Amino acid sequence: MATDYTIAIVGSGPAGLSAAARAAQEGKTHILIERAPHLNDTIFKYQKRKHVMAAPEILPRRSDLDFKEESREEVIESWEAGVASAHVNSRLNTEVTSVKGQRGNFEIGLAGGEKLTAEYVVLAIGVQGNLRRLTIPGADLTIPDADRPFVQYQLDDPDEYQGEEIVVIGTGDAGIENALGLSVNNNVSVINRTADFPYAKPANAALIQSAINRGDIAAFFNAEPKRIEPSYLVLDMPEGETRVKCDRIIARIGALPPRRFVESCGIVFPSDSPTAFPNVSETYESQVPGLYIIGALAGYPLIKQCLNQGYEVVEYILGRNIAPADEPLIQAKLDSQGVSMTVSELVTAVRERLPLYAPLTPLQTRDFLIHCEIRQLNPGDIVFRRNDFTNSLYSILDGQVGIQIHPDRPDQLLALGQGQFFGEIGLIAGRRRTATVVAITPCLLLEADRNTMIRLVRTERDIRRVIDEAAVIRFIRTYLATDANDAILTEIVRTAEHPPEIVEFRPNSPADKEDRETLVREGATDDNAVYLIRKGSVTVSRRIAGKDTVFAYVAAGNLVGEMAMLQNAPRSATVKATVATEAIKIDRGMFQTLLDRSPAMRQSVDAELEARLRERRQQQQIASHAGDLIEFFARQGLGEATDVLLIDESLCVRCDNCEKACAETHHGVSRLNREAGMTYAAIHVPTSCRHCEDPHCMKDCPPDAIHRAPTGEVFIADNCIGCGNCERNCPYGVIQMAEVPAEKPGLLSWLLFGWGSGPGEDKSPEGMAKRSGGKHAVKCDMCKGIEGGPACVRACPTGAAIRVDPEQFLSVVRQGRV
């Protein structure tokens, strides 16, 4: 049957334009249908003068249309010229209402009743027509005087707004660019649910951070919009409820696929998740033969990716078997590890062998793999060690690894095999690895970095659910029932009347009207749930002689509340958050079902209970004379620390060898002030870096000069620009600014004018500080890379100085060490 066109392309964003240009270049009859009155509506909706980035940089461009980093207006002009040059057949102001049929015989219904026919149909309609909207109370408020909504979801021209108080919700690329553009003529605040910018391109993240640092934009981190009142946005923040005054709110919180229309075309989505994308093959073909999906609707939102797909889809329709543009990048990862596998085989293996990533489409999987590493290990190879500070997530594509649960029993391993993953505690909590993991058999592992996983967890609720569910099962096996059957555990967790849920706690502020910090209260006869701390830390206390006495500090990766649950008794202690804390709440009924199903597990749990009771008695004995000390540690913010310098004043002889050794190790500038800091009894916490779990100093560093080493040290690299943000942001006063030269003159400048460092002179930032007026941030780096560890500890003649992990406080006290 004859058709009007060989290829019909619906949507003229980057993907659709590129497909149409390729079809035109190949001389194929085609039509590009766009419902807007102009082509390229995606770019037209960008704010005026927006700088369009050509990310990802490592991906080559494959399209008949030119593309480079330039302004919105220049991109539009360039593509209009390219479309005209290729003689693309386009039809504007035309809305597609239906697509029916299959390869060779498609009927396309248009608004008004007209119908077109085509052999192939390419859907490139994107997601911008279905923007996410706020659902908090007050989101539908209007401004009576201005007769407009208080909240808007699009921004065309920032220059139209002058002298307003504007709040931007959303810190992806669109939100960041809106905030930057508006900040020129307005007072702008951005609301960020996290402490960083995981959804933004690195360049945009750097720009917004610089604007925040300069004071051009106000930022509210770890903030959750709670409700909207006339002229105010109310936020839920770690320090309590915060009201932000504003004249308007601009919410850039993403978009969702136009599911109803896509499903009407015969396409089935893989899940009912509102963020799910339709499944397509590696050649972009949907379940409907001859119906292809490309661009943002396929899960590829970046312009360069969309351009590549537009080119490639036409090549596939014409029967040409070309490799996708990302193929060499992923194949290089396989080749570097000696893995005999093609990229297509790897994509299939990830989707079939790793349930965690099942929600991803094949195209999303390829994009995910660009940001992952492949690791092939031999038996006995170490994946990571206990107390390492790496925080990536590993999935097992093939083979078996063992988790050394008890460091003093390295041969006792919890075995994990194909399809399972590990490392989720380091990923979520940001703390040291809680166990050593070793390859038992030859292994093929997929390693995903923290930022990539955080983005996935926040956008794919099914992936978050799988991680949370696995965490519960992993901890039951680790702490309560080592020999429990995974299948039984999984079944019980999934079928529980009250499934595990994520709950958040945070230290109360004076403004709080409700108790936000208490997980468990002593004496309570509640539901006896147990809490798995997966981020943050808590203290455990009892009421003794009319006073709350702290006797334990519990960091992420541990359970609390299990004693009352196992004994079916009132709560024996109070548990409170020391910092913003996230926990998985596990219902008692679920555990009881588990015990009823497994007599062997009940026996194991009884033994574990007895051991914990003995440990509890020991802790309480210590608390009788050291509870105030532990509480002092918590008040000093050590709940977010990962390594702390302590000085036993009863042993200290005030020789200052610790400071001198620090200075000698770091080019004359000591990173330690022995006398400064707080003291309780004989225990002194000097002014020295705590190497926080979530370092405050990292959050506002424009050149990204502050890093954490795999062994835990937080250090400042040489690309520090001396802005002083880290010094201001550190709540513990442990960062100082040392003067350094603005530039490093060469030998000739030194010979003629005496500028810079001469032969043999110290060229380090601290050393050069003596010869110039610039500045460089310095802080304790725990003598990173120096054999023997921290110089301050090594130089102490009496052993008064020690560095400890906060989790070691109790054991240190128990040994009478402090």
Side-chain angles (χ1 to χ4, degrees), residues 259 263 269-274 276 359 462:
R259 188 165 186 139
E263 289 178 327
F269 281 74
S271 74
D272 61 358
S273 169
D462 288 339

Side-chain angles (χ1 to χ4, degrees), residues 195 197 210-211 244 259 267 271 311 319 373 467 492 553 641 690 714 746 784:
F197 303 94
S210 295
V244 183
R259 188 165 186 139
I267 296 169
S271 74
Y311 179 98
E373 297 299 330
I467 290 179
I492 291 172
Y553 163 92
R690 290 157 164 78
V714 176
K784 182 178 70 71

Side-chain angles (χ1 to χ4, degrees), residues 635-772:
R635 288 199 308 270
Q636 296 307 307
L638 272 58
E640 63 178 330
T642 63
D643 190 282
V644 183
L645 177 64
L646 302 178
I647 296 178
D648 186 343
E649 294 275 297
S650 66
L651 297 177
C652 179
V653 294
R654 281 63 174 174
C655 63
D656 284 336
N657 281 1
C658 52
E659 284 192 24
K660 296 172 184 175
C662 182
E664 290 172 0
T665 306
H666 296 100
H667 312 292
V669 179
S670 176
R671 285 97 186 274
L672 163 66
N673 186 334
R674 180 189 60 78
E675 292 186 351
M678 301 297 292
T679 301
Y680 179 85
I683 306 307
H684 182 59
V685 184
T687 303
S688 178
C689 182
R690 290 157 164 78
H691 303 272
C692 295
E693 171 186 321
D694 187 12
H696 301 269
C697 55
M698 283 187 182
K699 295 174 184 176
D700 298 334
C701 181
D704 190 25
I706 306 178
H707 309 279
R708 188 190 291 282
T711 47
E713 305 93 342
V714 176
F715 66 96
I716 301 174
D718 288 342
N719 61 322
C720 170
I721 61 175
C723 65
N725 290 335
C726 54
E727 181 186 33
R728 289 187 290 272
N729 288 337
C730 176
Y732 308 114
V734 301
I735 299 178
Q736 57 182 302
M737 307 303 294
E739 294 186 353
V740 294
E743 58 185 57
K744 301 178 181 179
L747 177 61
L748 185 60
S749 297
W750 177 78
L751 288 172
L752 295 177
F753 307 106
W755 295 343
S757 55
E761 291 185 337
D762 186 359
K763 296 181 175 63
S764 71
E766 294 89 342
M768 291 187 293
K770 300 172 183 177
R771 298 183 297 275
S772 180

Side-chain angles (χ1 to χ4, degrees), residues 146 180 426 475:
L180 292 169
F475 274 85

